[in-house]
Amino acid sequence: HAIRGRLADHPTSVRLIRMRRAYNGNRRLGKEHMIIIERVTPATMEEEASKHNIELPIEQTSVWADFQADINGRRPWGCLLIRRDTELVAVISLIDMETHGYHYLRSVHGPVWASKPNEELEEQMIAALADYVKRNDKRVAFLRIDTWTSKGTFPVLSTVPYNETVVLDITGDDEEILARMKKRGRRDVRKALRESPAVIADETELATRDFSDYYAVMVETAHRDGFNPAPMSDYTDMIKALGPEHCRVFAGRIDGKVVAWSIVTVHGKTGVYYYASMLTSVRREHVPDKLLYFVACALGKQGCTKLDLMGIGNDFAPSLKSLNEFKTKFAPETTQIAAGRDIPIKKAFYRMLRMMQSVRKALKPKPHGNAEKVRAKESAAK
């Protein structure tokens, strides 16, 4: 400490001190490699990601962190560079989530890897990350990050993660976007363009000023599909915090009335179809197909190359299977991704949380009638 104090202003000493701090988070990878974790500013993480051609999803950017900071019970925890020896292999931005009196760290679509890791590298990273967090924040009960492997991790205590999605290639003109869809998708879009009376437009400015008409559609959607709608502020806060550069609202109107809408996030060359809603009365008017196609073409003209429709169902996420018929027709194939998993930090406490969850499930009244359908709706609502 005395030597460090006297040499604190010396550039070489500062670098050595930083290296030592970084190496405090290390784990051995086999016999030759070390995992090195370094905490940096959001700007530095984004700069390093750009240098190494790591494409960050919007949830891993400072724009998203600033948005989360305005939500009660959430705050940005920090950005980390993850190296194997001197090679940058991944970056991650973590949000501190406080709920029911405890804290956990969430990283949506993080870590972001320079290239898909093998199982050994990912397991070593998980262990190193857990050690790093445990040393640096005694409050954290567990991590929730997206992983390819399930070893050393647990199914999430809440939310519905997914490991498969649909990503549209939206390069080229409108006809080229349409041509890349499955035959069923092309047929339905063309039918919607011919027959749907809905007028589709980018209504970001209108929705930012007053979201009440759009929210009324979401309320009906929630009642129809059996879940509780989020407060209107969840949507308005997101639109205003991310701003028009990163968040757009597209809507379909019939006779001037909002009948369907979607919120789309944009970062870099990727758009994400984040939220969507539709009135029951226009189900046969082909509005969703027309709306999604309009969004794909509009984002393509703005320079985006991909449109992610978010999760679909499979054995990992059976409650999302009802989404598959609509989403999968717009692309020739689906895309596998890493999925949210929990990593205990306070292991005894985490075991208690899982036990409490099991007790709640055991005490919950059994659904009558179509039990599988009821459970699927409950999972979607969560």
Side-chain angles (χ1 to χ4, degrees), residues 161-200:
Y162 56 89
N163 65 356
E164 191 173 5
T165 185
V166 174
V167 180
L168 280 65
D169 179 348
I170 55 174
T171 57
D173 60 26
D174 295 2
E175 281 299 318
E176 288 176 292
I177 293 172
L178 186 61
R180 282 191 288 267
M181 296 179 184
K182 286 181 180 177
K183 182 178 179 180
R184 181 166 59 93
R186 293 195 300 272
R187 180 200 65 201
D188 290 351
V189 168
R190 287 196 173 106
K191 185 177 179 68
L193 293 175
R194 288 195 312 268
E195 301 178 9
S196 176
V199 177
I200 313 296

Side-chain angles (χ1 to χ4, degrees), residues 121-132:
L121 174 57
E122 186 174 44
E123 289 174 7
Q124 293 290 340
M125 183 282 297
I126 289 171
L129 180 60
D131 284 351
Y132 182 90

Side-chain angles (χ1 to χ4, degrees), residues 245-308:
E245 182 183 354
H246 296 287
C247 188
R248 311 298 299 182
V249 180
F250 294 88
R253 293 176 181 263
I254 296 178
D255 297 328
K257 179 182 178 181
V258 177
V259 297
W261 57 267
S262 65
I263 291 179
V264 180
T265 61
V266 179
H267 180 68
K269 295 185 179 297
T270 301
V272 180
Y273 214 71
Y274 232 88
Y275 296 111
S277 183
M278 179 191 66
L279 292 180
T280 306
S281 60
V282 300
R283 276 184 135 173
R284 297 183 182 275
E285 302 287 357
H286 316 294
V287 182
D289 300 276
K290 192 173 185 179
L291 176 62
L292 192 148
Y293 180 61
F294 183 94
V295 171
C297 295
L299 294 185
K301 290 180 177 68
Q302 293 173 22
C304 289
T305 60
K306 295 182 292 184
L307 177 61
D308 187 344

Side-chain angles (χ1 to χ4, degrees), residues 46-212:
E46 292 181 26
E47 182 181 347
E48 288 295 316
S50 178
K51 285 181 183 177
H52 293 81
N53 296 317
I54 299 175
E55 185 179 351
L56 297 178
I58 192 169
E59 296 90 349
Q60 292 293 301
T61 66
S62 58
V63 172
W64 191 266
D66 291 342
F67 161 45
Q68 295 292 294
D70 290 333
I71 300 175
N72 188 39
R74 302 182 187 183
R75 66 176 182 86
W77 188 85
C79 296
L80 305 175
L81 303 180
I82 302 172
R83 294 189 176 91
R84 177 175 55 189
D85 298 332
T86 59
E87 176 192 6
L88 184 70
V89 294
V91 300
I92 186 169
S93 174
L94 293 153
I95 303 295
D96 183 314
M97 314 282 281
E98 183 178 5
T99 179
H100 299 93
Y102 64 86
H103 293 255
Y104 70 95
L105 299 186
R106 178 68 175 114
S107 182
V108 180
H109 299 315
V112 190
W113 295 87
S115 60
K116 184 179 178 180
N118 60 34
E119 189 173 341
E120 181 188 16
L121 174 57
E122 186 174 44
E123 289 174 7
Q124 293 290 340
M125 183 282 297
I126 289 171
L129 180 60
D131 284 351
Y132 182 90
V133 170
K134 187 175 183 178
R135 280 195 310 274
N136 285 277
D137 194 334
K138 303 300 182 185
R139 301 174 304 171
V140 176
F142 62 91
L143 307 176
R144 182 168 296 162
I145 64 174
D146 290 0
T147 69
W148 295 97
T149 182
S150 60
K151 188 174 181 180
T153 69
F154 291 85
V156 298
L157 288 168
S158 59
T159 73
V160 181
Y162 56 89
N163 65 356
E164 191 173 5
T165 185
V166 174
V167 180
L168 280 65
D169 179 348
I170 55 174
T171 57
D173 60 26
D174 295 2
E175 281 299 318
E176 288 176 292
I177 293 172
L178 186 61
R180 282 191 288 267
M181 296 179 184
K182 286 181 180 177
K183 182 178 179 180
R184 181 166 59 93
R186 293 195 300 272
R187 180 200 65 201
D188 290 351
V189 168
R190 287 196 173 106
K191 185 177 179 68
L193 293 175
R194 288 195 312 268
E195 301 178 9
S196 176
V199 177
I200 313 296
D202 183 335
E203 298 194 3
T204 305
E205 187 176 345
L206 287 172
T208 303
R209 290 201 303 264
D210 184 0
F211 197 74
S212 55

Side-chain angles (χ1 to χ4, degrees), residues 317-335:
S319 66
L320 301 181
K321 287 184 178 180
S322 62
L323 305 173
N324 293 12
E325 183 178 358
F326 178 72
K327 292 185 178 183
T328 57
K329 66 185 178 182
F330 295 108
E333 57 189 22
T334 62
T335 302

